[in-house]
PDB file of all heavy atoms in Angstrom:
ATOM      1  N   LYS A 298      -5.082  -7.242 -10.090  1.00  0.00           N
ATOM      2  CA  LYS A 298      -5.450  -8.517  -9.469  1.00  0.00           C
ATOM      3  C   LYS A 298      -4.765  -8.668  -8.114  1.00  0.00           C
ATOM      4  O   LYS A 298      -5.414  -9.004  -7.110  1.00  0.00           O
ATOM      5  CB  LYS A 298      -5.045  -9.680 -10.384  1.00  0.00           C
ATOM      6  CG  LYS A 298      -5.209 -11.046  -9.738  1.00  0.00           C
ATOM      7  CD  LYS A 298      -4.643 -12.159 -10.622  1.00  0.00           C
ATOM      8  CE  LYS A 298      -4.692 -13.503  -9.906  1.00  0.00           C
ATOM      9  NZ  LYS A 298      -4.121 -14.596 -10.743  1.00  0.00           N
ATOM     10  N   ASN A 299      -3.471  -8.404  -8.059  1.00  0.00           N
ATOM     11  CA  ASN A 299      -2.739  -8.561  -6.801  1.00  0.00           C
ATOM     12  C   ASN A 299      -3.120  -7.511  -5.768  1.00  0.00           C
ATOM     13  O   ASN A 299      -3.071  -7.775  -4.565  1.00  0.00           O
ATOM     14  CB  ASN A 299      -1.238  -8.543  -7.072  1.00  0.00           C
ATOM     15  CG  ASN A 299      -0.758  -9.822  -7.733  1.00  0.00           C
ATOM     16  OD1 ASN A 299      -1.288 -10.893  -7.469  1.00  0.00           O
ATOM     17  ND2 ASN A 299       0.229  -9.716  -8.605  1.00  0.00           N
ATOM     18  N   ALA A 300      -3.522  -6.317  -6.222  1.00  0.00           N
ATOM     19  CA  ALA A 300      -4.008  -5.297  -5.287  1.00  0.00           C
ATOM     20  C   ALA A 300      -5.316  -5.734  -4.643  1.00  0.00           C
ATOM     21  O   ALA A 300      -5.526  -5.551  -3.434  1.00  0.00           O
ATOM     22  CB  ALA A 300      -4.190  -3.965  -6.015  1.00  0.00           C
ATOM     23  N   VAL A 301      -6.211  -6.313  -5.434  1.00  0.00           N
ATOM     24  CA  VAL A 301      -7.477  -6.818  -4.896  1.00  0.00           C
ATOM     25  C   VAL A 301      -7.210  -7.949  -3.911  1.00  0.00           C
ATOM     26  O   VAL A 301      -7.810  -8.009  -2.821  1.00  0.00           O
ATOM     27  CB  VAL A 301      -8.399  -7.300  -6.040  1.00  0.00           C
ATOM     28  CG1 VAL A 301      -9.627  -8.011  -5.478  1.00  0.00           C
ATOM     29  CG2 VAL A 301      -8.819  -6.120  -6.908  1.00  0.00           C
ATOM     30  N   LEU A 302      -6.299  -8.852  -4.259  1.00  0.00           N
ATOM     31  CA  LEU A 302      -5.987  -9.979  -3.370  1.00  0.00           C
ATOM     32  C   LEU A 302      -5.322  -9.500  -2.078  1.00  0.00           C
ATOM     33  O   LEU A 302      -5.546 -10.082  -1.009  1.00  0.00           O
ATOM     34  CB  LEU A 302      -5.097 -10.982  -4.100  1.00  0.00           C
ATOM     35  CG  LEU A 302      -5.748 -11.701  -5.291  1.00  0.00           C
ATOM     36  CD1 LEU A 302      -4.750 -12.641  -5.959  1.00  0.00           C
ATOM     37  CD2 LEU A 302      -6.986 -12.475  -4.844  1.00  0.00           C
ATOM     38  N   LEU A 303      -4.500  -8.443  -2.167  1.00  0.00           N
ATOM     39  CA  LEU A 303      -3.904  -7.878  -0.962  1.00  0.00           C
ATOM     40  C   LEU A 303      -4.980  -7.279  -0.066  1.00  0.00           C
ATOM     41  O   LEU A 303      -4.942  -7.447   1.166  1.00  0.00           O
ATOM     42  CB  LEU A 303      -2.872  -6.812  -1.334  1.00  0.00           C
ATOM     43  CG  LEU A 303      -2.258  -6.024  -0.170  1.00  0.00           C
ATOM     44  CD1 LEU A 303      -1.526  -6.952   0.796  1.00  0.00           C
ATOM     45  CD2 LEU A 303      -1.306  -4.946  -0.699  1.00  0.00           C
ATOM     46  N   THR A 304      -5.927  -6.571  -0.662  1.00  0.00           N
ATOM     47  CA  THR A 304      -7.037  -6.007   0.112  1.00  0.00           C
ATOM     48  C   THR A 304      -7.801  -7.115   0.823  1.00  0.00           C
ATOM     49  O   THR A 304      -8.134  -7.004   2.015  1.00  0.00           O
ATOM     50  CB  THR A 304      -7.993  -5.227  -0.819  1.00  0.00           C
ATOM     51  OG1 THR A 304      -7.244  -4.308  -1.616  1.00  0.00           O
ATOM     52  CG2 THR A 304      -9.023  -4.455  -0.004  1.00  0.00           C
ATOM     53  N   LEU A 305      -8.077  -8.195   0.109  1.00  0.00           N
ATOM     54  CA  LEU A 305      -8.767  -9.343   0.696  1.00  0.00           C
ATOM     55  C   LEU A 305      -7.967  -9.926   1.860  1.00  0.00           C
ATOM     56  O   LEU A 305      -8.535 -10.251   2.917  1.00  0.00           O
ATOM     57  CB  LEU A 305      -8.994 -10.406  -0.386  1.00  0.00           C
ATOM     58  CG  LEU A 305      -9.578 -11.747   0.069  1.00  0.00           C
ATOM     59  CD1 LEU A 305     -10.971 -11.567   0.637  1.00  0.00           C
ATOM     60  CD2 LEU A 305      -9.582 -12.741  -1.091  1.00  0.00           C
ATOM     61  N   LYS A 306      -6.670 -10.055   1.675  1.00  0.00           N
ATOM     62  CA  LYS A 306      -5.818 -10.619   2.726  1.00  0.00           C
ATOM     63  C   LYS A 306      -5.849  -9.759   3.984  1.00  0.00           C
ATOM     64  O   LYS A 306      -5.918 -10.278   5.111  1.00  0.00           O
ATOM     65  CB  LYS A 306      -4.385 -10.750   2.214  1.00  0.00           C
ATOM     66  CG  LYS A 306      -3.436 -11.451   3.190  1.00  0.00           C
ATOM     67  CD  LYS A 306      -2.064 -11.641   2.565  1.00  0.00           C
ATOM     68  CE  LYS A 306      -1.152 -12.421   3.503  1.00  0.00           C
ATOM     69  NZ  LYS A 306       0.200 -12.639   2.897  1.00  0.00           N
ATOM     70  N   MET A 307      -5.829  -8.445   3.805  1.00  0.00           N
ATOM     71  CA  MET A 307      -5.866  -7.549   4.959  1.00  0.00           C
ATOM     72  C   MET A 307      -7.189  -7.669   5.709  1.00  0.00           C
ATOM     73  O   MET A 307      -7.216  -7.622   6.941  1.00  0.00           O
ATOM     74  CB  MET A 307      -5.644  -6.109   4.506  1.00  0.00           C
ATOM     75  CG  MET A 307      -4.221  -5.824   4.053  1.00  0.00           C
ATOM     76  SD  MET A 307      -4.032  -4.121   3.496  1.00  0.00           S
ATOM     77  CE  MET A 307      -4.443  -3.219   4.987  1.00  0.00           C
ATOM     78  N   VAL A 308      -8.288  -7.817   4.967  1.00  0.00           N
ATOM     79  CA  VAL A 308      -9.589  -7.994   5.620  1.00  0.00           C
ATOM     80  C   VAL A 308      -9.611  -9.301   6.398  1.00  0.00           C
ATOM     81  O   VAL A 308     -10.033  -9.336   7.562  1.00  0.00           O
ATOM     82  CB  VAL A 308     -10.732  -7.972   4.576  1.00  0.00           C
ATOM     83  CG1 VAL A 308     -12.059  -8.331   5.233  1.00  0.00           C
ATOM     84  CG2 VAL A 308     -10.822  -6.603   3.914  1.00  0.00           C
ATOM     85  N   ARG A 309      -9.166 -10.369   5.770  1.00  0.00           N
ATOM     86  CA  ARG A 309      -9.189 -11.682   6.428  1.00  0.00           C
ATOM     87  C   ARG A 309      -8.315 -11.729   7.664  1.00  0.00           C
ATOM     88  O   ARG A 309      -8.631 -12.413   8.627  1.00  0.00           O
ATOM     89  CB  ARG A 309      -8.768 -12.759   5.428  1.00  0.00           C
ATOM     90  CG  ARG A 309      -9.865 -13.089   4.407  1.00  0.00           C
ATOM     91  CD  ARG A 309      -9.430 -14.162   3.433  1.00  0.00           C
ATOM     92  NE  ARG A 309     -10.572 -14.635   2.643  1.00  0.00           N
ATOM     93  CZ  ARG A 309     -10.475 -15.411   1.578  1.00  0.00           C
ATOM     94  NH1 ARG A 309      -9.266 -15.802   1.155  1.00  0.00           N
ATOM     95  NH2 ARG A 309     -11.557 -15.799   0.929  1.00  0.00           N
ATOM     96  N   HIS A 310      -7.204 -10.995   7.649  1.00  0.00           N
ATOM     97  CA  HIS A 310      -6.309 -10.974   8.803  1.00  0.00           C
ATOM     98  C   HIS A 310      -6.734  -9.938   9.843  1.00  0.00           C
ATOM     99  O   HIS A 310      -6.069  -9.800  10.869  1.00  0.00           O
ATOM    100  CB  HIS A 310      -4.877 -10.699   8.359  1.00  0.00           C
ATOM    101  CG  HIS A 310      -4.170 -11.900   7.819  1.00  0.00           C
ATOM    102  ND1 HIS A 310      -3.300 -12.654   8.574  1.00  0.00           N
ATOM    103  CD2 HIS A 310      -4.219 -12.496   6.601  1.00  0.00           C
ATOM    104  CE1 HIS A 310      -2.819 -13.648   7.837  1.00  0.00           C
ATOM    105  NE2 HIS A 310      -3.374 -13.579   6.639  1.00  0.00           N
ATOM    106  N   ARG A 311      -7.822  -9.238   9.559  1.00  0.00           N
ATOM    107  CA  ARG A 311      -8.343  -8.236  10.502  1.00  0.00           C
ATOM    108  C   ARG A 311      -7.251  -7.265  10.944  1.00  0.00           C
ATOM    109  O   ARG A 311      -7.077  -6.979  12.128  1.00  0.00           O
ATOM    110  CB  ARG A 311      -8.971  -8.927  11.714  1.00  0.00           C
ATOM    111  CG  ARG A 311     -10.131  -9.836  11.319  1.00  0.00           C
ATOM    112  CD  ARG A 311     -10.743 -10.530  12.514  1.00  0.00           C
ATOM    113  NE  ARG A 311     -11.862 -11.373  12.105  1.00  0.00           N
ATOM    114  CZ  ARG A 311     -12.571 -12.146  12.932  1.00  0.00           C
ATOM    115  NH1 ARG A 311     -12.278 -12.160  14.216  1.00  0.00           N
ATOM    116  NH2 ARG A 311     -13.555 -12.882  12.470  1.00  0.00           N
ATOM    117  N   ILE A 312      -6.532  -6.734   9.960  1.00  0.00           N
ATOM    118  CA  ILE A 312      -5.391  -5.883  10.257  1.00  0.00           C
ATOM    119  C   ILE A 312      -5.804  -4.586  10.943  1.00  0.00           C
ATOM    120  O   ILE A 312      -5.053  -4.039  11.755  1.00  0.00           O
ATOM    121  CB  ILE A 312      -4.585  -5.590   8.963  1.00  0.00           C
ATOM    122  CG1 ILE A 312      -3.239  -4.946   9.287  1.00  0.00           C
ATOM    123  CG2 ILE A 312      -5.398  -4.736   7.993  1.00  0.00           C
ATOM    124  CD1 ILE A 312      -2.296  -5.831  10.047  1.00  0.00           C
ATOM    125  N   ILE A 313      -7.008  -4.084  10.656  1.00  0.00           N
ATOM    126  CA  ILE A 313      -7.457  -2.855  11.312  1.00  0.00           C
ATOM    127  C   ILE A 313      -7.626  -3.081  12.809  1.00  0.00           C
ATOM    128  O   ILE A 313      -7.222  -2.247  13.628  1.00  0.00           O
ATOM    129  CB  ILE A 313      -8.782  -2.351  10.684  1.00  0.00           C
ATOM    130  CG1 ILE A 313      -8.603  -2.094   9.189  1.00  0.00           C
ATOM    131  CG2 ILE A 313      -9.270  -1.089  11.392  1.00  0.00           C
ATOM    132  CD1 ILE A 313      -7.497  -1.124   8.844  1.00  0.00           C
ATOM    133  N   ARG A 314      -8.192  -4.212  13.183  1.00  0.00           N
ATOM    134  CA  ARG A 314      -8.326  -4.522  14.602  1.00  0.00           C
ATOM    135  C   ARG A 314      -6.954  -4.681  15.255  1.00  0.00           C
ATOM    136  O   ARG A 314      -6.726  -4.223  16.380  1.00  0.00           O
ATOM    137  CB  ARG A 314      -9.134  -5.802  14.788  1.00  0.00           C
ATOM    138  CG  ARG A 314      -9.463  -6.103  16.251  1.00  0.00           C
ATOM    139  CD  ARG A 314     -10.254  -7.377  16.402  1.00  0.00           C
ATOM    140  NE  ARG A 314      -9.423  -8.563  16.150  1.00  0.00           N
ATOM    141  CZ  ARG A 314      -9.850  -9.814  16.301  1.00  0.00           C
ATOM    142  NH1 ARG A 314     -11.112 -10.042  16.665  1.00  0.00           N
ATOM    143  NH2 ARG A 314      -9.051 -10.833  16.055  1.00  0.00           N
ATOM    144  N   ARG A 315      -6.033  -5.317  14.530  1.00  0.00           N
ATOM    145  CA  ARG A 315      -4.680  -5.531  15.061  1.00  0.00           C
ATOM    146  C   ARG A 315      -3.995  -4.196  15.335  1.00  0.00           C
ATOM    147  O   ARG A 315      -3.380  -4.006  16.396  1.00  0.00           O
ATOM    148  CB  ARG A 315      -3.866  -6.348  14.053  1.00  0.00           C
ATOM    149  CG  ARG A 315      -2.382  -6.479  14.387  1.00  0.00           C
ATOM    150  CD  ARG A 315      -2.162  -7.376  15.597  1.00  0.00           C
ATOM    151  NE  ARG A 315      -0.758  -7.626  15.825  1.00  0.00           N
ATOM    152  CZ  ARG A 315       0.071  -6.799  16.448  1.00  0.00           C
ATOM    153  NH1 ARG A 315      -0.377  -5.646  16.917  1.00  0.00           N
ATOM    154  NH2 ARG A 315       1.338  -7.123  16.627  1.00  0.00           N
TER     155      ARG A 315
END
Side-chain angles (χ1 to χ4, degrees):
K298 172 187 175 181
N299 287 327
V301 172
L302 294 178
L303 174 60
T304 309
L305 174 63
K306 185 175 184 179
M307 289 179 61
V308 173
R309 285 180 169 169
H310 280 261
R311 300 179 179 178
I312 192 65
I313 301 304
R314 187 180 72 175
R315 172 70 173 81

